[in-house]
Structure formats: structure tokens, C-alpha cells
Amino acid sequence: MTNEPTDNDTNEQHRSITSRRTFLGAALASPALLGLGVGSYEAASSYASDETYETGLISGLADNQDDLVLEPTAISADPRLLDAQGISVGQQVRLTRTDNEFAAYTVTEDRPEASEETLRMPDSGKSRLDLSDGRPFPSDRNSCPGPQTDHSLGDEFEAAISTTVPAPDRSAKEARRDGELVEQLDERDSSLVMIAPHGGGMQPWTDEQAAYTAELTSATSWRALGWGPTPAGGAFQRWYVPSTEIDPASYPELGRIADTDFDVAVDFGGVCERGVLVGGNADKSLREAVRDSINEAMPSRVLKAELSDDGTADSMLVNRLGDDGIFISQSYTTRRAYYEEIAYGVAAALEDDLDPGARERPGQGKRRSRPDVPGQDRRPSRPDAPGKQ
């Protein structure tokens, strides 16, 4: 699905792992399960503090948190810290260890701790705050590697907490230079919305596809563009959050359109397998029309787009935004060669005035959302990729 693992295009990084944490958004675990005495649990639950907790103490997982070992974006936190920050379970936070080390995480569990400043994460999560030490990023584009677990950090360390994930007031050019994440929103009077939750270096060219398709169809468009420590690596490790978990409360521009009643939403994402898959919860007839339009816009010798059962979960961001959600997942090599043809095919399926077989297409050849940076190739040689929807 929209998961291409680190520096690779991937489908779901761990199809064998139970779908993302069943306790997400659930009530607080019992004191017995947490390994706390009743007295310490009551103290942790009832204690009211005036602290703002601008920093948290990052610790490893507790003995009863095995479910999080292979969940690099997941953290647990003491409920007092969450209350002080105004954070709910299910929201994202940005954790900053140094000026050059920061990443996005999802709060998946509120867990009473002896110290209210404690946040817990697996080694795969700590590794995401240790990307700038020269370690190579995985570069095999034909496989879906698991999360990285190696890091040079100690058992405990401090990190600043922010309830907003994107960097405010930064341009895409500045974000690429600084390894940051930014949002781009174009609001138009339309019942359509095009999104790219994993643009920039995470899944290259998906943000450009969303922007181009929105231009052609007069649709609203939202893109999240993230980069890593280098233009070619680390973006997925640093910023990727499964679209089933993305909370508009943590992405201000997304929050502006989250309550809009769109008829159709389209998500441009990545996949491990070759080719193009058209999934989502939209009616089969609409997905077939999109598939056929993409195939007509593509060169005849290219692998054909196919329907997929992926992307049907109600929790998928695209399905939350539109009555009909369409999930376009594409391999890295397919996007690199035909990102514009695919985007035009999607637009032609939704706009009667466009011919999917047209040789000359409106706006053909334009680069939209990924600016050039002096001395850098605009097409990264080692893309980052995701691991879940």
C-alpha cells in the first residue's frame, strides 16, 4: 500500500504483523498489565501537575510492550504528560533530540509511569532519531526491508516535544535543504481532493502527481513533503506515518479541509510490486474507469494498471476525506518514468473535458512541488519509501 520501506518502494512493510495496534485509541490499560501496584497507578492517574513537559525522557520498551518492537513510529507516554500537552492517543508528535535529529511519531498508548515525563519506544524508533551519523540507508528497491534497529543512543535521553509535526513558515526548498517536513494546500471550489501524504523524499513524485491532477480537475490538493538528512536518504525513516494513523490535529493545513464533505478523494502513494494498482473504497465502476484511463494515457508497452483490494480500510486518510476514496499505489520505477502520465490518466477519468489518449497534455513537462537546490539532482538516486497504509 502506501508503504515503501526505507529508501525503497514497498508495499506494506510487514503484512504478517497484526494490523496497526488494536489498542490505538483504547482505554488506559489496567495497573496489573502495566506492572504497577494499585497505589502507584492511582497516584499516576490522579496527580495533577502544572508542568508543560517541553521535553520528555525517551526510554526503551517495558517488558509487556512486545507489540511495539517492530513499530518504529509508535510511542507510549504517561497520561499526565499527554494531558499537559493536550495530546490524545492516536495523534502524532514531533520529537527533537538535537538540531539535526527529529522525527514524527504516533502516540499509540497512554501508560502510567513512575516518572510522568517518560515516553517509550522500541530501538527501531530510537534509530529514527539517529540518522545523521553517516550510517548508510538501505537502497535495495526490489525488497521490503524491516525497520532499522541500530543506533548509537543510550538507554535514556531527552527529546523536545511538539504537537505539530510540519515545520511552520518554511518553503519546500528550505525543507529539502534542512531535512524538514512541510505541508502544501491548494483549496479550490470542488467536490474533489487530491492528496499525497508521503511526498518529497518519502515517495518521490507523488506530491507532484497530486498537484498536477488537482490543477487539471480544479480540485483541492493537500501534500506533505518530507526530506531526510540528505536529499537522497532518510526521509521515510524520519517522517513516514501510515495514512491509517494520520491525525489532522497534528497537520494544520490538513486540518483546514478535514471536515470538508468531498465526493471523491484520490491518494497518490507507493507500493513494492511493479506497476500501478487502483484501490480504495470507491465503487468498482469508478475504480475501473480510473484504471482504464491510466492505461490509455500510458505507452502501450508499459505494464498495465490493475484493480486492487488495498486501501479499503475506513481508517485510510483518503477514505476519511471522500465519500469515494481512490488509492493509487505505484512502484518507484514506474513513478520515475511515468508519474505525469499516471496523474493525467487519473485526471481524465474525473474530468470530461480531458482525453486520456491525448499526445499533448495541459501543463505537460512542468515540475511543480519539488524545487531545484543548487548542486543537487532533483531526482534523488535513493528514494525513501514506506511500510504500511
Side-chain angles (χ1 to χ4, degrees):
M1 309 222 62
T2 173
N3 301 342
E4 316 173 340
T6 64
D7 297 299
N8 309 308
D9 272 308
T10 68
N11 194 2
E12 292 176 281
Q13 206 170 20
H14 309 288
R15 288 183 182 275
S16 62
I17 296 178
T18 311
S19 100
R20 196 92 173 164
R21 295 169 294 282
T22 56
F23 55 75
L24 189 65
L28 196 64
S30 73
L33 290 176
L34 293 172
L36 299 175
V38 174
S40 60
Y41 171 79
E42 291 177 347
S45 301
S46 62
Y47 174 73
S49 173
D50 293 330
E51 293 284 348
T52 57
Y53 303 114
E54 294 180 356
T55 62
L57 183 64
I58 309 300
S59 301
L61 296 177
D63 291 340
N64 57 358
Q65 292 185 298
D66 291 343
D67 288 346
L68 303 189
V69 169
L70 296 179
E71 299 289 358
T73 65
I75 61 173
S76 66
D78 188 279
R80 293 164 294 179
L81 184 151
L82 298 178
D83 288 344
Q85 288 279 359
I87 302 170
S88 300
V89 169
Q91 286 183 221
Q92 283 74 53
V93 296
R94 169 196 282 248
L95 297 180
T96 301
R97 185 175 67 86
T98 70
D99 288 344
N100 298 317
E101 295 289 3
F102 36 81
Y105 296 86
T106 300
V107 180
T108 60
E109 181 182 4
D110 49 358
R111 184 182 191 281
E113 302 281 356
S115 169
E116 59 267 27
E117 298 180 16
T118 298
L119 300 99
R120 295 187 182 274
M121 66 175 64
D123 284 338
S124 56
K126 290 182 178 181
S127 178
R128 301 173 70 230
L129 290 171
D130 190 30
L131 298 178
S132 299
D133 65 353
R135 288 180 296 120
F137 300 109
S139 58
D140 181 4
R141 296 171 186 163
N142 298 316
S143 65
C144 300
Q148 298 295 289
T149 58
D150 58 313
H151 62 82
S152 61
L153 308 180
D155 293 337
E156 294 185 337
F157 56 90
E158 290 188 344
I161 304 168
S162 174
T163 57
T164 300
V165 174
D169 305 324
R170 260 194 175 92
S171 67
K173 182 175 182 178
E174 292 168 335
R176 187 182 188 193
R177 179 195 66 201
D178 299 334
E180 275 287 0
L181 178 82
V182 294
E183 295 177 276
Q184 294 180 335
L185 175 65
D186 297 316
E187 292 188 84
R188 300 181 176 93
D189 293 332
S190 173
S191 60
L192 306 176
V193 62
M194 308 296 161
I195 65 172
H198 307 121
M202 288 183 281
Q203 294 176 336
W205 302 290
T206 57
D207 50 283
E208 297 181 46
Q209 290 180 309
Y212 182 37
T213 307
E215 288 178 15
L216 296 175
T217 58
S218 299
T220 291
S221 175
W222 174 79
R223 292 94 65 196
L225 284 67
W227 283 274
T230 71
F236 172 74
Q237 293 92 329
R238 177 169 282 178
W239 298 118
Y240 178 77
V241 173
S243 68
T244 52
E245 296 181 3
I246 291 176
D247 191 326
S250 305
Y251 299 81
E253 295 299 298
L254 176 61
R256 290 176 54 180
I257 63 169
D259 294 330
T260 304
D261 187 17
F262 294 104
D263 291 336
V264 178
V266 181
D267 182 340
F268 292 90
V271 71
C272 287
E273 293 84 356
R274 290 182 59 204
V276 183
L277 300 176
V278 181
N281 70 354
D283 290 341
K284 184 178 180 181
S285 59
L286 178 56
R287 291 186 290 116
E288 287 177 335
V290 172
R291 175 202 62 190
D292 295 344
S293 185
I294 291 173
N295 287 334
E296 191 172 350
M298 297 275 276
S300 59
R301 67 183 182 278
V302 175
L303 190 68
K304 297 299 183 182
E306 299 178 353
L307 294 187
S308 168
D309 294 329
D310 288 340
T312 59
D314 291 341
S315 57
M316 286 282 289
L317 179 61
V318 67
N319 297 332
R320 285 182 270 154
L321 290 176
D323 294 336
D324 285 309
I326 299 173
F327 182 68
I328 309 295
S329 50
Q330 318 141 81
S331 68
Y332 171 79
T333 54
T334 302
R335 287 200 316 273
R336 180 178 60 182
Y338 303 109
Y339 77 96
E340 188 173 86
E341 287 83 354
I342 295 168
Y344 185 83
V346 173
L350 301 173
E351 175 56 63
D352 293 338
D353 293 336
L354 298 177
D355 176 7
R359 289 182 177 272
E360 296 296 330
R361 297 184 291 276
Q364 188 172 14
K366 289 184 179 179
R367 286 277 174 181
R368 287 164 184 79
S369 55
R370 186 177 300 115
D372 288 321
V373 177
Q376 295 175 356
D377 183 354
R378 76 173 73 185
R379 291 193 176 199
S381 59
R382 288 187 306 180
D384 292 302
K388 289 195 171 57
Q389 294 181 11

